[in-house]
Amino acid sequence: MGRYRKFVFVCTGSDCKKSGCKQLTREVKSVLKLDPHKGRFKLIKTKCMDFCKSGPIMVFENEVFKNGDVEKFKGKIQ
Ligand code: FES
């Protein structure tokens, strides 16, 4: 599994592109930079995850974060 312990999936499908997955990706990266244990997380860009109407979408530990909810994600990585 390599050195990463946790994976963060960000959808880059066409609907999430329209709803702002690039911005979401930037925000997730800046949240991960705050992690004191560098290299614990890896961001993975995915294709459509079938939640298109609620994009941009990310998934972390089997939980779906809709509408680019980075604040909720932030609370999960502490
Ligand atoms: S394009 Fe992102 S969930 Fe479908």
Side-chain angles (χ1 to χ4, degrees):
M1 187 166 164
R3 66 190 178 109
Y4 300 108
R5 297 208 336 246
K6 302 195 180 212
F7 295 87
V8 185
F9 301 94
V10 176
C11 177
T12 58
S14 57
D15 282 337
C16 286
K17 269 194 181 114
K18 286 179 205 151
S19 57
C21 70
K22 277 192 179 167
Q23 175 67 23
L24 175 61
T25 301
R26 277 193 292 272
E27 289 175 8
V28 168
K29 281 181 180 169
S30 64
V31 168
L32 295 182
K33 276 186 192 152
L34 302 175
D35 178 32
H37 311 284
K38 296 278 181 240
R40 188 165 58 140
F41 297 96
K42 181 160 180 67
L43 189 154
I44 296 181
K45 294 176 182 174
T46 73
K47 296 190 173 176
C48 178
M49 295 193 265
D50 278 340
F51 294 98
C52 312
K53 289 195 170 106
S54 310
I57 292 292
M58 61 182 288
V59 172
F60 178 65
E61 296 191 316
N62 292 330
E63 186 174 353
V64 178
F65 296 76
K66 296 179 177 175
N67 303 305
D69 194 351
V70 174
E71 286 307 312
K72 187 176 164 194
F73 167 66
K74 224 182 215 176
K76 300 278 178 182
I77 69 157
Q78 306 301 318

